[in-house]
């Protein structure tokens, strides 16, 4: 049995509801519990409006649960201040979204290095060398000085993947990362995520409508009306 040190993320009885001043609260998540270990990959699937994005935002500390426990690397996120959570997001969590959110005025290399600017303990030259190596690894070593407008959609999304990895996070959270890509490019990006998860032992959680991408993950959880209803579909 794996030791507790291998647990990256643990959720226990997580609920989320949104308060409204003039009407009843809106419940979104109902008692979500799961554990994911280092190097695991998980797809969260379900229809629109079932709570997938809310859950991902809570996992990434972009939102907080109404009640319940979330531990990242053994640390209870509810006990942290917003400045402390900002450090967690920067150092321990990598985000990939459906839209790549690259800055159009910055080069590929500069976009990748943006998350490192808050890390005062890391030498800029070391960060730049890591960025170059990662970009080379995903086939973009020849695009370092290009801007996003000069890249294809798939290339922009690969830059976003590298940006999510640059601070060596414990956890990668991907929200519909292939949703804006054509089938062939989506397949390629999915294979890249699987390769990075396998080779670098980075824990990966993907929210997706794509059955093909979900099938590449080590496990699948289905969310319906704010509850997990099935495993490994």
């Amino acid at each position: 049995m794996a030791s507790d040190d291998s647990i990256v993320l643990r959720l226990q009885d997580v609920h989320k509801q949104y308060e409204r001043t003039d009407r009843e609260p809106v419940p979104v998540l109902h008692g979500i519990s799961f554990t994911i270990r280092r190097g695991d990959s998980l797809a969260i699937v379900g229809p629109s409006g079932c709570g997938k994005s809310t859950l991902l935002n809570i996992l990434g500390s972009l939102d907080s649960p109404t009640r319940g426990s979330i531990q990242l690397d053994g640390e209870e996120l509810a006990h942290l201040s917003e400045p402390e959570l900002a450090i967690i997001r920067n150092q321990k969590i990598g985000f990939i979204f459906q839209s790549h959110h690259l800055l159009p005025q910055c080069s590929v290399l500069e976009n990748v290095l943006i998350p490192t600017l808050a890390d005062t303990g890391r030498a800029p030259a070391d960060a730049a060398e890591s960025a170059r190596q990662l970009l080379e690894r995903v086939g973009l070593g020849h695009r370092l000085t290009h801007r996003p407008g000069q890249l294809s959609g798939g290339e922009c999304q690969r830059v976003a993947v590298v940006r999510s990895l640059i601070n060596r996070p414990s956890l990668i959270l991907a929200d519909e990362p292939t949703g804006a890509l054509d089938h062939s490019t989506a397949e390629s990006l999915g294979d890249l995520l699987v390769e990075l998860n396998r080779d670098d032992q980075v824990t990966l959680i993907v929210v997706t409508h794509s059955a093909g991408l979900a099938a590449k993950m080590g496990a699948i959880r289905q969310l319906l009306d704010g509850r997990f209803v099935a495993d490994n579909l």
Side-chain angles (χ1 to χ4, degrees), residues 5-108:
D5 288 345
S6 72
I7 295 175
V8 172
L9 189 68
R10 186 196 298 274
L11 272 70
Q12 292 180 304
D13 197 32
V14 167
H15 293 253
K16 179 64 178 181
Q17 67 179 26
Y18 291 104
E19 303 294 333
R20 297 188 294 184
T21 56
D22 56 339
R23 285 174 287 178
E24 290 294 313
V26 177
V28 181
L29 299 176
H30 308 275
I32 300 294
S33 298
F34 72 90
T35 296
I36 190 166
R37 298 182 183 277
R38 199 166 312 283
D40 284 352
S41 60
L42 170 68
I44 299 174
V45 302
S48 297
C50 70
K52 299 189 305 298
S53 292
T54 296
L55 177 56
L56 203 72
N57 286 340
I58 288 174
L59 297 180
S61 77
L62 297 170
D63 199 354
S64 57
T66 304
R67 72 176 192 267
S69 170
I70 303 176
Q71 294 180 3
L72 179 63
D73 287 336
E75 190 167 26
E76 176 58 58
L77 297 186
H79 297 161
L80 302 180
S81 66
E82 180 51 40
E84 289 170 328
L85 288 173
I87 293 172
I88 291 287
R89 286 191 291 268
N90 181 258
Q91 298 298 320
K92 292 193 173 186
I93 305 173
F95 295 92
I96 308 169
F97 301 99
Q98 180 172 341
S99 177
H100 50 73
H101 296 301
L102 301 181
L103 296 180
Q105 71 273 25
C106 293
S107 69
V108 164

Side-chain angles (χ1 to χ4, degrees), residues 30-232:
H30 308 275
I32 300 294
S33 298
F34 72 90
T35 296
I36 190 166
R37 298 182 183 277
R38 199 166 312 283
D40 284 352
S41 60
L42 170 68
I44 299 174
V45 302
S48 297
C50 70
K52 299 189 305 298
S53 292
T54 296
L55 177 56
L56 203 72
N57 286 340
I58 288 174
L59 297 180
S61 77
L62 297 170
D63 199 354
S64 57
T66 304
R67 72 176 192 267
S69 170
I70 303 176
Q71 294 180 3
L72 179 63
D73 287 336
E75 190 167 26
E76 176 58 58
L77 297 186
H79 297 161
L80 302 180
S81 66
E82 180 51 40
E84 289 170 328
L85 288 173
I87 293 172
I88 291 287
R89 286 191 291 268
N90 181 258
Q91 298 298 320
K92 292 193 173 186
I93 305 173
F95 295 92
I96 308 169
F97 301 99
Q98 180 172 341
S99 177
H100 50 73
H101 296 301
L102 301 181
L103 296 180
Q105 71 273 25
C106 293
S107 69
V108 164
L109 183 60
E110 290 166 342
N111 268 287
V112 169
L113 289 173
I114 286 170
T116 70
L117 299 178
D119 187 358
T120 57
R122 188 175 186 184
D126 172 67
E129 181 57 29
S130 294
R132 292 187 186 96
Q133 290 177 5
L134 283 168
L135 287 165
E136 186 70 38
R137 182 174 174 184
V138 303
L140 293 174
H142 62 302
R143 297 289 213 179
L144 300 183
T145 60
H146 288 67
R147 287 181 168 79
Q150 299 172 294
L151 306 180
S152 69
E155 287 174 327
C156 284
Q157 201 64 326
R158 277 187 278 162
V159 175
V161 169
V162 171
R163 182 182 57 192
S164 76
L165 292 167
I166 190 62
N167 281 338
R168 309 181 189 100
S170 304
L171 176 67
I172 295 290
L173 301 175
D175 191 359
E176 298 287 359
T178 62
L181 304 177
D182 62 73
H183 177 74
S184 176
T185 306
E187 280 286 308
S188 177
L189 186 74
D191 290 341
L192 172 62
L193 291 173
V194 170
E195 176 189 330
L196 293 168
N197 164 251
R198 180 190 66 232
D199 294 350
D200 294 1
Q201 289 293 289
V202 177
T203 304
L204 174 64
I205 299 179
V206 176
V207 162
T208 184
H209 283 105
S210 168
L213 178 60
K216 295 177 186 291
M217 300 298 110
I220 302 173
R221 303 293 300 268
Q222 184 180 24
L223 197 64
L224 185 64
D225 295 331
R227 295 179 173 88
F228 281 139
V229 295
D231 298 350
N232 295 312

